[in-house]
Amino acid sequence: GKTVEAEICKFATLPSEEGKGIGVRSIKFIEDTCLKYGIRKMKLEVYDKSTDAIRFYKSRGFVEVDDKRTKHFRVLIMEKKVI
């Protein structure tokens, strides 16, 4: 059958709260919720200049699967299989 995906939109941590584990716990919560409901893939888009965010997502198991260009910038499409 078709794989059901969860799309993460507008994910961010306040700069004053960075480094406190909030992002890690949030991604883990989303992943656990996906598992609970049988969703096996998480997907997100991130601006290609957001190097800290890209590094964070990669550290959480996301991989770049595609990109798309807009008039002014490039967006990376990243996915993570939920297991």
Side-chain angles (χ1 to χ4, degrees):
K2 188 176 179 202
T3 301
V4 178
E5 299 177 344
E7 185 172 356
I8 299 172
C9 302
K10 303 292 182 186
F11 185 82
T13 302
L14 290 171
S16 61
E17 301 302 311
E18 288 177 1
K20 297 180 181 178
I22 295 167
V24 171
R25 288 193 307 272
S26 297
I27 291 289
K28 180 74 172 112
F29 175 81
I30 295 166
E31 189 172 333
D32 290 346
T33 302
C34 288
L35 281 171
K36 180 178 176 182
Y37 291 100
I39 298 166
R40 296 293 177 250
K41 188 190 300 181
M42 298 188 304
K43 183 177 185 177
L44 58 84
E45 297 180 0
V46 60
Y47 174 52
D48 73 335
K49 302 288 189 225
S50 298
T51 54
D52 289 341
I54 293 165
R55 188 171 29 267
F56 170 77
Y57 294 131
K58 286 182 176 180
S59 77
R60 305 311 313 152
F62 284 85
V63 294
E64 184 180 338
V65 295
D66 204 354
D67 67 5
K68 64 182 180 182
R69 295 187 184 276
T70 69
K71 186 175 180 180
H72 301 288
F73 55 88
R74 182 172 159 251
V75 173
L76 305 180
I77 300 167
M78 301 184 81
E79 291 181 351
K80 177 180 181 176
K81 289 185 176 153
V82 181
I83 51 173

